[in-house]
Amino acid sequence: MRKMNFPLVLLSSMVFIAGCSSSSDGDTQGGSEEREINYLSNRTANQGQPRIVLPIMEQYQEENPDVSLNLETIEQSDIVQRIQLLTASNALPDMFVYESAQLNDLIAGEYIVNIENAFEEADMLDTVRPAAIDLMQQLSGTGEMYAVPMELNIEGFWYNKEIFESLGLEEPQTWDEMMEISDVLLENEIQPFALAGQDRWPITRLINAFAVRYYGVDAMQRVADGNLSITDSGFITAAQTIQEMNDNGYFGQGVNAMDYDAATGSFLTGQSAMYYMGSWALGEMNDENQNHIGGPENIGFFNVPLVEGGEGTLEDYMMNAGLITVFSQAGFDESTRDWFEYLYTHYADHAMSEHGMVSGLATSVEPEEDDPLTQLVLDELEQAESSALWFEATFNARKQELAETNAQQLIGGSMTPEEFMGALED
């Protein structure tokens, strides 16, 4: 019997929900069985993943005219509650996006497809990048892959090549070297880092980067499993290091008032020399109206440097897959399975050729010659042996909010590193 672990309050407040249930039974018209595959996303037909998926369905329909895709778009903030309600009424969409940290109940109740098995049965598992498999396995918390890596972003430090070259600086291999570079930049009246403190998560990303280099790529998973305490000395040192970086002036004045656009603008106008961010920012870096530092050719990238005595390696990368995509068990019939194989045979090439988007699936298409940053990301992915979760990936909603809110107090000096980590202890 399937286990239902969702909050009872949702069950008691369940309302009639139409439009998302699987149409796997099909309708018979003119002797053929029609199949409408329901797809729930936070993006419209012209955005994100649907802008790639829908044209592939049109291509698929040339040989399979009785199969169609019904896209429904809802706000990202509503996704978790909507899926919980649909699960309770046994009406999950056939494929849908979901928050990666909320998969446990869907997996435990056997509501969603084991994607790793599905790829293996389709003889396609070798088309998934190893680092993407590692990331998806960590996100499921089961050691198996339950979501398709339709997006894959690496995170690390982007830097202004011209500034580095003018001061004789080289990409740092250690965190200490990165701090020495920061001092040189300050001496030359250049802000070392752009940081969107107002958005809060960029602060915890830096804390996480240091902690992962100290404890290794599975740092936050070990915390989630109870094998490592968030108040251990390495986490305290991580928080202390980021606090000291702000105390030293590395992030400039008023960092907690700087949002994502302002931080990106600081880097792309040459006001700051380094920027910790994910590769989702390539759009801004490639935009000639935003990039005023000589175009994408003047931007370099280095992985998070090593820390003294740490277990992490330069082959470990901080990664992010955005909202994940899963398939419901109930809707994974023969038609959906055939669509699944067709979609992921073509998805990566369409994503790259049409939108320059990197996914967790291997592609046979090369980036455009005038897109060196996408090629850079692909080259880095080729070197990646394993991936690390972001700081809040395994936190519940309360701890996620606590971590991000307190991060501002930490770098502002009103909270000690011990208090910051102590507040996150169960």
Side-chain angles (χ1 to χ4, degrees):
M1 177 179 288
R2 290 178 177 174
K3 294 178 287 186
M4 180 64 70
N5 296 323
F6 293 133
L8 291 175
V9 64
L10 289 178
L11 295 177
S12 63
S13 64
M14 204 171 70
V15 297
F16 177 74
I17 300 166
C20 270
S21 62
S22 167
S23 302
S24 58
D25 291 340
D27 298 321
T28 301
Q29 295 183 3
S32 62
E33 187 176 81
E34 296 185 353
R35 175 70 163 95
E36 183 179 73
I37 297 171
N38 290 308
Y39 176 23
L40 183 69
S41 174
N42 63 319
R43 299 296 184 90
T44 67
N46 297 318
Q47 299 174 326
Q49 296 162 12
R51 64 182 170 165
I52 303 165
V53 172
L54 294 180
I56 295 176
M57 171 52 85
E58 290 179 7
Q59 185 177 300
Y60 179 74
Q61 286 176 316
E62 293 176 6
E63 297 294 330
N64 302 274
D66 297 323
V67 179
S68 61
L69 195 67
N70 175 40
L71 171 67
E72 181 183 1
T73 304
I74 66 172
E75 294 292 330
Q76 181 173 339
S77 57
D78 296 334
I79 287 175
V80 172
Q81 185 176 28
R82 181 69 177 279
I83 290 300
Q84 289 177 343
L85 288 169
L86 292 170
T87 303
S89 58
N90 196 29
L92 280 175
D94 301 302
M95 60 183 291
F96 56 97
V97 298
Y98 203 52
E99 295 285 351
S100 57
Q102 305 290 331
L103 276 179
N104 291 348
D105 287 331
L106 293 176
I107 295 172
E110 299 179 7
Y111 292 107
I112 57 174
V113 172
N114 183 318
I115 293 296
E116 191 167 338
N117 288 344
F119 269 99
E120 196 159 19
E121 289 168 6
D123 197 23
M124 296 171 60
L125 190 57
D126 61 354
T127 66
V128 187
R129 300 179 192 278
I133 294 177
D134 183 60
L135 180 64
M136 294 296 109
Q137 290 175 336
Q138 290 188 66
L139 288 173
S140 77
T142 67
E144 294 182 289
M145 185 168 69
Y146 278 83
V148 185
M150 295 177 73
E151 292 183 25
L152 190 63
N153 297 292
I154 59 168
E155 298 179 16
F157 292 95
W158 307 87
Y159 68 94
N160 185 315
K161 288 182 180 178
E162 185 177 355
I163 291 176
F164 267 50
E165 289 171 5
S166 67
L167 298 174
L169 303 174
E170 296 182 355
E171 295 179 5
Q173 298 297 301
T174 68
W175 200 282
D176 287 343
E177 291 176 359
M178 187 165 71
M179 298 302 93
E180 292 170 3
I181 287 172
S182 300
D183 289 335
V184 172
L185 290 165
L186 277 183
E187 290 168 3
N188 287 274
E189 300 181 346
I190 299 171
Q191 183 177 309
F193 297 93
L195 180 65
Q198 186 180 95
D199 292 340
R200 308 183 302 183
W201 58 263
I203 305 171
T204 62
R205 286 294 209 279
L206 286 175
I207 297 170
N208 188 60
F210 187 99
V212 166
R213 283 294 179 260
Y214 187 83
Y215 287 113
V217 70
D218 59 347
M220 297 314 297
Q221 190 60 56
R222 289 161 63 191
V223 171
D225 294 341
N227 298 322
L228 185 62
S229 171
I230 196 75
T231 59
D232 276 4
S233 61
F235 286 106
I236 300 297
T237 302
Q240 184 177 25
T241 298
I242 307 309
Q243 188 181 59
E244 289 176 352
M245 289 171 69
N246 190 51
D247 291 344
N248 292 339
Y250 295 168
F251 303 137
Q253 298 294 318
V255 61
N256 278 338
M258 178 166 285
D259 64 13
Y260 177 87
D261 290 340
T264 302
S266 173
F267 177 64
L268 292 179
T269 56
Q271 297 176 56
S272 52
M274 294 179 280
Y275 189 28
Y276 182 92
M277 191 47 62
S279 54
W280 58 79
L282 292 194
E284 289 93 347
M285 295 181 192
N286 283 323
D287 184 350
E288 61 182 12
N289 294 316
Q290 297 188 60
N291 186 328
H292 300 286
I293 57 174
E297 294 80 4
N298 191 37
I299 296 176
F301 174 89
F302 60 86
N303 199 356
V304 176
L306 304 176
V307 303
E308 185 176 359
E311 299 175 21
T313 76
L314 292 176
E315 286 71 44
D316 303 332
Y317 281 74
M318 316 296 150
M319 289 193 185
N320 192 301
L323 281 178
I324 56 176
T325 299
V326 298
F327 285 73
S328 73
Q329 281 273 21
F332 207 60
D333 55 13
E334 184 177 347
S335 294
T336 307
R337 190 183 299 272
D338 190 65
W339 157 243
F340 172 91
E341 293 181 17
Y342 188 89
L343 172 61
Y344 294 116
T345 297
H346 297 86
Y347 181 85
D349 285 352
H350 273 253
M352 177 60 67
S353 62
E354 301 296 326
H355 304 286
M357 180 188 293
V358 177
S359 77
L361 306 171
T363 175
S364 61
V365 177
E366 295 291 332
E368 298 289 336
E369 290 185 1
D370 60 352
D371 189 3
L373 292 178
T374 298
Q375 184 60 57
L376 183 156
V377 171
L378 290 173
D379 292 344
E380 295 289 335
L381 284 172
E382 287 297 318
Q383 302 177 47
E385 294 183 358
S386 54
S387 56
L389 298 177
W390 58 102
F391 194 60
E392 303 90 343
T394 61
F395 288 175
N396 58 32
R398 181 190 65 82
K399 287 177 68 174
Q400 178 176 338
E401 176 66 21
L402 200 59
E404 294 183 354
T405 300
N406 289 349
Q408 288 185 320
Q409 297 185 52
L410 172 74
I411 65 170
S414 58
M415 178 173 271
T416 68
E418 291 80 5
E419 290 171 338
F420 175 78
M421 290 300 175
L424 300 174
E425 193 172 27
D426 289 327

